[in-house]
Amino acid sequence: MRLLLLLFALSLFPGCTATSISSSFDDSRNESLARKKINNAHPGFSKSHINVTSFNGIVLITGQVSSKDLIALATAEVEPLRNVRKVHNELAVAGVTSLISRTNDSWLTAKVKSALSASEQTDASRIKVVTENGAVYLMGLLTRAESDSAVEITRGIFGVQKIVKLFEYIN
């Protein structure tokens, strides 16, 4: 019965497979566990601004911390998690960004996602966009041509200061 319900649910979402649903749950689990482990690892993290994003087992850590030691500690806390294949730690030793800066980052993310969705050259459903302090991180499973298109589209968005590609290539 459960299998029938799962198959029915999958049929409602074309292009969605049990593997992608499982991967999505794993990524969500990675993000919440990584945040929890980082926050509990050291009192210095309580005065930091940290974001954790996971896509297909690849984890991106962004934000600001007060010391270089905390950067290495964050990676050490996340790497052993069960479904983590790789960690990209982009933490910076800096003061915590302001609310205005974070609002601008959210606006940039929305503009990039909209532009990628509107393009026929990319499949926005396979791209995750994260923006931190004006730097746009692009994660996903793409062909090299789709990756190049995604970068070109992102490059054309006003306000983007830096683009970091964290793609896995499917060709």
Side-chain angles (χ1 to χ4, degrees):
M1 181 66 176
R2 287 183 184 176
L3 180 60
L4 288 175
L5 286 173
L6 177 61
L7 291 173
F8 174 73
L10 290 174
S11 71
L12 295 176
F13 301 101
C16 196
T17 64
T19 304
S20 66
I21 289 173
S22 172
S23 179
S24 180
F25 284 127
D26 288 344
D27 285 332
S28 181
R29 179 184 166 279
N30 286 347
E31 290 173 3
S32 61
L33 281 176
R35 270 190 229 97
K36 184 176 180 179
K37 287 186 65 85
I38 290 170
N39 287 332
N40 292 333
H42 189 280
F45 285 121
S46 66
K47 297 175 182 139
S48 303
H49 173 248
I50 297 174
N51 293 311
V52 179
T53 308
S54 182
F55 187 92
N56 199 35
I58 307 294
V59 175
L60 169 65
I61 307 170
T62 58
Q64 302 80 40
V65 293
S66 59
S67 76
K68 196 174 182 179
D69 295 339
L70 293 177
I71 294 173
L73 182 57
T75 299
E77 290 296 318
V78 176
E79 282 179 332
L81 293 176
R82 182 177 54 178
N83 294 307
V84 171
R85 294 185 301 120
K86 187 171 187 174
V87 176
H88 293 281
N89 190 332
E90 296 289 329
L91 288 172
V93 177
V96 173
T97 54
S98 68
L99 181 59
I100 291 172
S101 177
R102 289 190 220 156
T103 302
N104 184 59
D105 288 342
S106 295
W107 176 238
L108 280 175
T109 296
K111 290 193 311 185
V112 171
K113 284 181 179 182
S114 294
L116 291 171
S117 293
S119 172
E120 293 179 7
Q121 300 165 347
T122 60
D123 180 356
S125 69
R126 291 186 287 129
I127 302 172
K128 196 168 236 184
V129 180
V130 177
T131 307
E132 181 66 46
N133 207 16
V136 176
Y137 299 87
L138 300 172
M139 305 173 76
L141 290 165
L142 303 174
T143 65
R144 292 194 185 277
E146 288 172 323
S147 167
D148 293 342
S149 293
V151 169
E152 282 306 309
I153 291 165
T154 303
R155 190 173 283 137
I157 306 292
F158 179 77
V160 173
Q161 297 177 18
K162 175 181 169 183
I163 300 169
V164 179
K165 297 188 313 183
L166 302 174
F167 294 124
E168 287 185 280
Y169 297 105
I170 55 178
N171 63 345

